Amino acid sequence: MGPFTCLIEREKPSILVVDDLPSNLELMEAVFMKEGFKVYTALGASDAIEKFQSCPVDLAVLDVMMPGIDGFELCCRLKDISRKRFFPVILLTALSDRKSKLKGIESGADDFISKPFDTTELLMKIKSLLKVKSLNEDLDHSENIIMTLAVAMEARDPYTKGHSSRVSKLASDFVLYLGLSDKDHKEMNKAGILHDIGKICLSESLLRKPGPLTREEVEMIKTHTILGEDLCRPLVSMRKILPAIRHHHERWDGMGFPDGLAGEEIPLMARILSIVDSFDAMVSVRPYRDRRSVRTTLDTMTSEQHSGQWDSELLSYFLDMIGSLVTKGYKVDA
Ligand SMILES: [Fe+2]
């Protein structure tokens, strides 16, 4: 066995095949190995879960009718273990009725194939799901790189360190508080981290300039909204958050930037970000002042609720949420 055997082995996509009949496992193992896949076999659900947790599996083909934990339940569990990672599952079933398919979809299955299976069809489905998985992973990598860049960028400055993570956490909590969807919650999580990513294109001396800024410098800083949108645009997974990045400095009265949008013309996610961004800036230490207490910040924002900066209705919900968090002992992280 050569020193690179493991690497070569890992490059082959690996399939976990689960069935309660050894003869079915042998048959599928032979078919998949002939196609160049690495194959892990499991006789039943508990064996499958163990293999799934200890081996690098890319896709699973599960028999539905198994004693004990059936294929539907096993599919749920594998999806649960893989959490955010896209893990494709094909259910192999003798049942072709609508009810089983619906149950399969409910359990998170990505495709179905009926027994006795057509080898070509099964292999085609496997290859296409593996392609989707690989695209997803590429996307994850690009997303992680840009997220890491955002955090690294603000860590250069002690006064902004942690700002985007706090905004992301608080804004996505607020999204849930407002009763918006899980999808909106996830998008807000990303938008919070990336809202100021455009600053990466601006010089550090400008961002850290202590004294008053010239009009040109102010205009330059304002471009971070558009620069951020431009930076994130090539990533398909960022498309939904582009408006939040571009418009997080718009004002309800239309006096903000970059487009001077007013009222409900401003996307909801941007209106939320604007409130949370201001809140975090107020409770954070700045070169020219100490940290303000949450209570003082709430009072300031309440008194300025109708100043035209924010969506006042949204702000009142935000103040309620922070108020109730304060009662529960909420503190702003350093
Ligand atoms: Fe900003």
Side-chain angles (χ1 to χ4, degrees):
M1 191 183 280
F4 301 114
T5 311
C6 289
L7 288 176
I8 295 165
E9 286 286 300
R10 184 62 199 104
E11 279 172 13
K12 290 183 187 173
S14 52
I15 303 178
L16 173 66
V17 188
V18 189
D19 203 304
D20 58 320
L21 291 177
S23 55
N24 285 349
L25 285 182
E26 278 168 28
L27 171 68
M28 281 191 278
E29 185 175 22
V31 170
F32 297 150
M33 281 179 76
K34 194 166 163 247
E35 281 299 309
F37 295 117
K38 178 158 182 55
V39 184
Y40 299 100
T41 56
L43 265 173
S46 47
D47 189 14
I49 292 171
E50 210 181 299
K51 291 243 167 67
F52 183 69
Q53 286 174 321
S54 57
C55 305
V57 182
D58 293 307
L59 177 146
V61 178
L62 315 178
D63 185 31
V64 166
M65 303 295 277
M66 293 190 290
I69 298 173
D70 63 14
F72 299 123
E73 173 66 23
L74 179 58
C75 176
C76 278
R77 294 206 190 174
L78 297 184
K79 291 277 183 179
D80 213 38
I81 297 168
S82 55
R83 290 205 185 107
K84 287 182 188 167
R85 195 167 58 97
F86 172 62
F87 177 71
V89 174
I90 298 178
L91 287 182
L92 204 53
T93 171
L95 316 160
S96 53
D97 62 302
R98 191 169 164 267
K99 213 172 146 192
S100 311
K101 280 216 164 162
L102 288 177
K103 202 171 170 193
I105 292 168
E106 216 174 297
S107 66
D110 300 281
D111 216 331
F112 304 86
I113 194 142
S114 313
K115 284 205 289 191
F117 63 86
D118 174 332
T119 311
T120 317
E121 189 189 353
L122 178 56
L123 288 171
M124 274 174 61
K125 288 187 171 177
I126 288 177
K127 284 174 187 166
S128 95
L129 281 171
L130 286 173
K131 177 91 185 145
V132 174
K133 182 171 189 277
S134 147
L135 289 173
N136 257 288
E137 281 164 3
D138 286 350
L139 218 60
D140 277 358
H141 291 156
S142 327
E143 217 176 286
N144 285 342
I145 289 170
I146 202 160
M147 295 284 199
T148 310
L149 269 177
V151 175
M153 173 202 68
E154 65 176 31
R156 295 181 306 180
D157 182 345
Y159 294 107
T160 55
K161 195 173 168 215
H163 169 73
S164 66
S165 311
R166 288 191 305 267
V167 168
S168 167
K169 170 81 176 65
L170 201 52
S172 48
D173 283 353
F174 186 37
V175 160
L176 288 186
Y177 183 80
L178 291 170
L180 300 175
S181 69
D182 277 356
K183 220 169 160 197
D184 292 327
H185 175 253
K186 281 186 193 142
E187 301 296 350
M188 185 48 94
N189 220 313
K190 283 193 244 176
I193 294 280
L194 296 172
H195 70 285
D196 277 341
I197 183 76
K199 286 185 179 168
I200 210 162
C201 307
L202 302 176
S203 78
E204 215 165 315
S205 54
L206 172 63
L207 294 173
R208 290 211 205 184
K209 187 174 172 185
L213 300 173
T214 64
R215 196 191 301 176
E216 287 76 26
E217 286 168 336
V218 170
E219 291 309 315
M220 185 87 85
I221 287 185
K222 285 181 176 178
T223 61
H224 78 273
T225 48
I226 298 167
L227 292 169
E229 185 193 27
D230 288 346
L231 269 173
C232 296
R233 190 179 288 114
L235 285 177
V236 180
S237 63
M238 300 291 181
R239 293 264 159 89
K240 291 239 167 72
I241 65 166
L242 297 181
I245 296 178
R246 182 180 180 99
H247 298 295
H248 74 275
H249 284 291
E250 304 286 2
R251 290 173 52 108
W252 185 256
D253 59 11
M255 303 301 284
F257 60 89
D259 299 314
L261 300 185
E264 291 184 355
E265 283 174 350
I266 308 166
L268 176 63
M269 291 298 181
R271 277 181 269 153
I272 292 175
L273 260 183
S274 158
I275 292 173
V276 181
D277 192 22
S278 305
F279 173 81
D280 190 74
M282 287 190 216
V283 293
S284 303
V285 185
R286 283 287 180 266
Y288 45 86
R289 63 159 168 78
D290 286 339
R291 175 196 299 270
R292 271 187 214 164
S293 75
V294 172
R295 180 49 63 201
T296 314
T297 304
L298 289 185
D299 291 344
T300 309
M301 289 180 96
T302 307
S303 66
E304 293 175 9
Q305 187 169 353
H306 300 285
S307 64
Q309 182 169 354
W310 306 290
D311 173 342
S312 60
E313 193 185 351
L314 208 52
L315 180 62
S316 71
Y317 290 124
F318 179 74
L319 297 173
D320 286 349
M321 180 185 81
I322 298 290
S324 64
L325 287 175
V326 168
T327 348
K328 290 177 195 157
Y330 167 79
K331 283 199 175 61
V332 180
D333 296 334

